[in-house]
Amino acid sequence: MRTWFEPEETEEFEAAKAVLLRRCLTWADEHGRPADDLLITAAMDARHESRDGRLGYWDETQIRRFLLGWIPKYVVAPREILDITPEILRTYLDYLHDTGLRDPRGETPAEADASIARLSADFQKALDDPNRQGLAKFWAQTALDHGIDLATPGELETFQQDLDAGRIRFDQDVLDNLLEARFMETGLDVLDEERAFPQPPIVLPPPAALSEAATQSKIVQQLISLTTWAGKDGHPLTKAGNLSLADARAVSALLGTGEDEYQVRSAADLPHLNLLLAWAKEIRLIRVAKGRVVAVAKAGPLLRDPEALWNRAFEVLPELGDVITTPVATWRPVSLLGDAFDELLPDVLNTMYGMDDIPLVRLEETVWLACQEYFVVDDQQEHIQELWRGQAARDLRRAFEVLVDLGAVELTRGPADDLYSSDLDHEDQHLPPDAVDRLRARLQEPDLLQARLTPLGLRAVRNRLLSEGRDAPLVGELAAAAPAELLGMLTQHYPPPEAATELNGWLSHPGQDIESLLRAIRDCPFRTRAAAMLNVLAEALPEGHTLIRDLRHDPILGPAALSLLMDSGEIDPGALGQREHLLLGAENFLTLLELGGPESLIEQLKAMAGPDAYEFVQSVLSSGHHDVEGLADMRELVAEPLRAARTHLRLVPSPSPGSRGRPKGKGKKRR
């Protein structure tokens, strides 16, 4: 059972959702917990249609989004049903935990329960606010309030006729507000999340090493020195708002910018000093008061914590595009990259996340392409476009120099990996022909400038991704996860090398062993998930394949082990006994039922066994497979419809002599 699907995997998601809903309702009934199919479905839809799409991941942010955003905006139901949403959400989250489907990186059941409790009062207020609903819900709820269910065939036409005749009353002011919010793109925009590209797991050094690296950052040291130099008494500024040339040279020498010997007419002509001044102002280390630049009194704690200062410096860096980039030497007063620096720099760093050395020429082309999406350049002459493209490339390199000084990026030189040229001939690559031609030539150079994120840079980008609600796995963060939750995460979010590292790291902790992992797989109520979890052990453990062979006759894991051995070609189907054939068939059909739903399985059975499909299913149901819940689903959803169809066909009376379809009178008898 997967808990993450690509947005385009509609059928797969709907099949999984049906299984989860059915099982959750049964679990709730067995445990005496409140449940409602509409609200549980809404919880799954809300997480699927989000930036990360993880059905099993819930924290206070996602609980808030669901209770205060999704339910009020989208879900149509009587108020007495909506009022119990917090309790239904508790049931659903407890079910995820009980079945091992919870993402351990989210809140624990106790933490989630506390978050729901904190948000319950705000939830009721959100339900009372008619301006929180969407337009579709407004009309559907209006119809429901008048006893009309728009999901019923023909009811939409009835509703429209009643509206036109004035028999349906609605709040025109609320409708006007909703229309204005829609067309002005205001309101609950947080719900309109575009699915983000999943990030690969990364490895980070110990916290102490990261802290030491932050302390050694050139920019951090310069910011501390600059703030100390400014002091509480400060230094005077000119009428133009700059330091005096004497002060600028003095502080440049103190900071080691190399600009103290520049022959300039104004402090404004010292780019690195101006960057540091702007940076310190953005962080609130210094400020301008009464014509003097002074240290901010409350900046003391930040100055005494280099790691926190580093993080703050990285956080505000995208806001400094106007002092990092250089204006184009034409009529345009600022650079293209400078205008969109706050958007493009994070995108560039996201591209680098989890990657080895990336040639800067490759990044330059994607940045130039992005600049053209922000600004209209097609109507400019070719030489003007080339000027702007060259300036954007120089500005990007300047940004990387600043990132190097901060300690977020490392620059090296050498030949580019074939990875960065091999995709240029792919049909789905998005670069225009002229960019492809430039890259083909440049990527052959033996001494290209290349960039990669340092561990500090990796951690900072990861923290930003997490703050945006994106999934950014970290090797080692599952060290204390429950066995089922650990294996569930590895099956979906970790490539094999990182899965092996994470799994073997988990096993290094006392009390966490292979037997506890096997116990978790035995307890898993979903065939697809159990098979995937078992496959992780096979691929990640040194003795994994031997373990699978030893499990062939396990009363619970045997069918899944058999399936893996068959897929790997280690077992000849002809060597299986009748019981193993039946167990393997049951495993496969239960898997198909989870993946495609009952209709899909019924069609496959009919194609395989024709009129004997029901008898075929009956033999599988009597196979002795341990998955009682899955077999019950198969009996109800597959066997019963097949039996009913077979019974119906047998009850059709045979045509009488002379009736249509049979010759009348005496004919030759068949021997």
Side-chain angles (χ1 to χ4, degrees):
M1 174 56 59
R2 292 165 55 192
T3 55
W4 186 87
F5 300 86
E6 293 282 4
E8 61 271 16
E9 291 184 297
T10 304
E11 293 182 2
E12 294 86 346
F13 170 63
E14 291 298 328
K17 186 167 66 172
V19 175
L20 282 174
L21 176 62
R22 186 168 62 249
R23 300 285 183 90
C24 184
L25 292 174
T26 301
W27 180 90
D29 184 60
E30 292 172 348
H31 290 78
R33 300 289 298 275
D36 180 81
D37 55 351
L38 176 66
L39 297 178
I40 293 172
T41 299
M44 289 187 275
D45 287 338
R47 291 301 293 121
H48 177 63
E49 298 181 31
S50 67
R51 186 166 286 112
D52 63 309
R54 291 174 287 170
L55 304 184
Y57 181 87
W58 289 84
D59 60 8
E60 184 164 352
T61 298
Q62 296 303 332
I63 292 171
R64 176 183 296 275
R65 177 177 180 268
F66 177 64
L67 292 179
L68 306 189
W70 193 272
I71 292 293
K73 185 173 183 179
Y74 295 123
V75 179
V76 180
R79 179 58 185 259
E80 60 270 19
I81 297 296
L82 297 180
D83 281 338
I84 63 172
T85 300
E87 286 304 312
I88 303 302
L89 181 59
R90 284 190 177 95
T91 296
Y92 175 61
L93 298 187
D94 286 346
Y95 170 74
L96 293 179
H97 175 257
D98 190 64
T99 53
L101 297 178
R102 185 184 75 94
D103 189 322
R105 297 168 295 178
E107 292 187 334
T108 65
E111 291 168 340
D113 188 72
S115 295
I116 293 171
R118 283 192 297 272
L119 293 168
S120 291
D122 289 337
F123 171 66
Q124 293 299 325
K125 294 178 182 177
L127 288 183
D128 291 335
D129 184 357
N131 293 310
R132 283 182 172 264
Q133 62 188 318
L135 275 173
K137 176 175 177 176
F138 174 83
W139 289 119
Q141 190 68 55
T142 299
L144 185 64
D145 292 343
H146 288 79
I148 299 174
D149 182 2
L150 296 183
T152 303
E155 290 291 84
L156 178 60
E157 291 78 5
T158 300
F159 179 60
Q160 185 63 57
Q161 292 170 3
D162 288 345
L163 271 179
D164 294 340
R167 291 188 292 270
I168 298 290
R169 293 185 178 182
F170 58 88
D171 192 322
Q172 186 64 51
D173 291 337
V174 171
L175 178 60
D176 291 341
N177 290 337
L178 297 178
L179 288 169
E180 181 181 0
R182 177 171 181 175
F183 289 111
M184 298 298 292
E185 297 185 351
T186 60
L188 301 175
D189 296 332
V190 68
L191 298 177
D192 300 326
E193 295 181 349
E194 182 178 354
R195 179 69 69 84
F197 189 79
Q199 297 294 335
I202 62 167
V203 179
L204 289 177
L210 293 170
S211 181
E212 177 61 22
T215 302
Q216 298 301 320
S217 164
K218 179 180 178 180
I219 293 294
V220 165
Q221 294 176 354
Q222 288 176 329
L223 289 172
I224 293 173
S225 297
L226 175 61
T227 308
T228 304
W229 173 84
K232 64 178 182 179
D233 296 327
H235 295 266
L237 300 176
T238 66
K239 291 182 179 180
N242 302 314
L243 291 173
S244 68
L245 197 51
D247 278 344
R249 284 175 172 155
V251 72
S252 293
L254 173 68
L255 301 178
T257 67
E259 297 174 325
D260 49 303
E261 298 296 333
Y262 282 16
Q263 297 301 310
V264 295
R265 300 178 60 183
S266 166
D269 297 324
L270 303 177
H272 194 74
L273 176 59
N274 283 315
L275 169 60
L276 289 172
L277 287 167
W279 215 332
K281 289 177 184 177
E282 193 71 33
I283 299 173
R284 296 291 296 162
L285 297 176
I286 62 174
R287 64 188 179 92
V288 175
K290 298 180 180 180
R292 303 176 72 85
V293 58
V294 299
V296 174
K298 295 181 179 179
L302 201 56
L303 295 174
R304 292 188 293 271
D305 188 346
E307 188 171 9
L309 178 56
W310 193 98
N311 290 331
R312 182 68 181 136
F314 180 87
E315 181 183 338
V316 304
L317 181 58
E319 307 303 321
L320 302 176
D322 57 341
V323 290
I324 291 177
T325 61
T326 305
V328 179
T330 63
W331 53 267
R332 185 174 176 80
V334 294
S335 77
L336 292 176
L337 182 56
D339 270 1
F341 195 79
D342 60 333
E343 297 280 347
L344 295 184
L345 180 64
D347 286 345
V348 169
L349 297 176
N350 287 353
T351 301
M352 298 171 62
Y353 186 80
M355 301 289 287
D356 291 329
D357 294 326
I358 299 182
L360 252 64
V361 293
R362 187 68 193 252
L363 294 173
E364 289 167 6
E365 291 294 349
T366 56
V367 165
W368 173 238
L369 188 64
C371 285
Q372 295 176 72
E373 294 177 357
Y374 279 87
F375 310 102
V376 178
V377 299
D378 292 341
D379 58 350
Q380 299 297 320
Q381 297 179 3
E382 184 176 347
H383 74 280
I384 296 295
Q385 292 189 37
E386 283 300 302
L387 176 67
W388 287 354
R389 185 177 66 81
Q391 186 62 51
R394 287 189 291 274
D395 285 340
L396 182 63
R397 296 194 180 205
R398 167 63 178 149
F400 273 103
E401 292 170 0
V402 173
L403 286 163
V404 168
D405 286 345
L406 179 60
V409 165
E410 178 184 359
L411 294 177
T412 58
R413 284 193 174 275
D417 191 288
D418 291 341
L419 168 70
Y420 298 107
S421 55
S422 61
D423 67 334
L424 295 178
D425 294 322
H426 290 180
E427 294 181 358
D428 57 350
Q429 68 87 19
H430 60 280
L431 292 170
D434 60 326
V436 171
D437 292 340
R438 284 193 298 267
L439 280 174
R440 279 204 181 96
R442 294 295 306 278
L443 290 172
Q444 300 305 312
E445 297 176 12
D447 196 34
L448 283 173
L449 191 61
Q450 304 186 70
R452 70 163 64 191
L453 290 171
T454 65
L456 271 176
L458 272 173
R459 184 180 67 173
V461 174
R462 178 176 182 267
N463 288 340
R464 180 168 49 76
L465 293 171
L466 292 176
S467 70
E468 295 171 355
R470 297 181 62 172
D471 184 16
L474 174 66
V475 172
E477 68 179 336
L478 302 177
E485 295 172 354
L486 166 76
L487 292 175
M489 292 302 98
L490 299 185
T491 64
Q492 297 181 105
H493 303 293
Y494 283 69
E498 288 78 9
T501 301
E502 188 73 44
L503 179 61
N504 286 287
W506 187 90
L507 288 168
S508 68
H509 292 270
Q512 298 180 174
D513 52 26
I514 294 177
E515 185 52 43
S516 63
L517 297 172
L518 292 175
R519 217 167 23 245
I521 303 174
R522 289 187 178 97
D523 292 340
C524 179
F526 305 102
R527 306 317 322 135
T528 51
R529 195 174 185 86
M533 292 160 72
L534 196 59
N535 188 59
V536 166
L537 297 187
E539 297 299 327
L541 295 175
E543 69 280 20
H545 291 283
T546 300
L547 175 66
I548 300 303
R549 287 192 289 271
D550 292 343
L551 291 171
R552 173 176 175 176
H553 301 293
D554 186 277
I556 294 177
L557 298 181
L562 269 176
S563 184
L564 290 178
L565 292 171
M566 289 281 291
D567 291 342
S568 65
E570 292 192 43
I571 289 183
D572 179 4
L576 297 180
Q578 182 179 8
R579 183 174 183 277
E580 285 188 321
H581 266 299
L582 284 175
L583 287 173
L584 187 60
E587 183 77 11
N588 290 337
F589 289 144
L590 289 170
T591 297
L592 290 174
L593 180 59
E594 285 183 16
L595 291 175
E599 294 82 5
S600 177
L601 179 55
I602 287 173
E603 290 303 315
Q604 292 199 41
L605 287 166
K606 288 180 177 179
M608 293 172 59
D612 298 324
Y614 174 70
E615 286 76 8
F616 195 9
V617 173
Q618 284 296 105
S619 65
V620 168
L621 290 173
S622 60
S623 64
H625 195 285
H626 77 281
D627 186 1
V628 176
E629 194 171 8
L631 292 176
D633 284 345
M634 183 178 291
R635 183 174 292 105
E636 176 186 351
L637 303 174
V638 177
E640 283 304 309
L642 286 173
R643 184 191 63 80
R646 189 185 70 159
T647 302
H648 174 73
L649 289 174
R650 289 182 175 179
L651 289 177
V652 175
S654 300
S656 58
S659 66
R660 193 175 204 179
R662 183 171 178 176
K664 186 177 181 180
K666 297 179 180 180
K668 293 183 178 179
K669 296 182 180 180
R670 293 181 180 177
R671 295 185 179 180

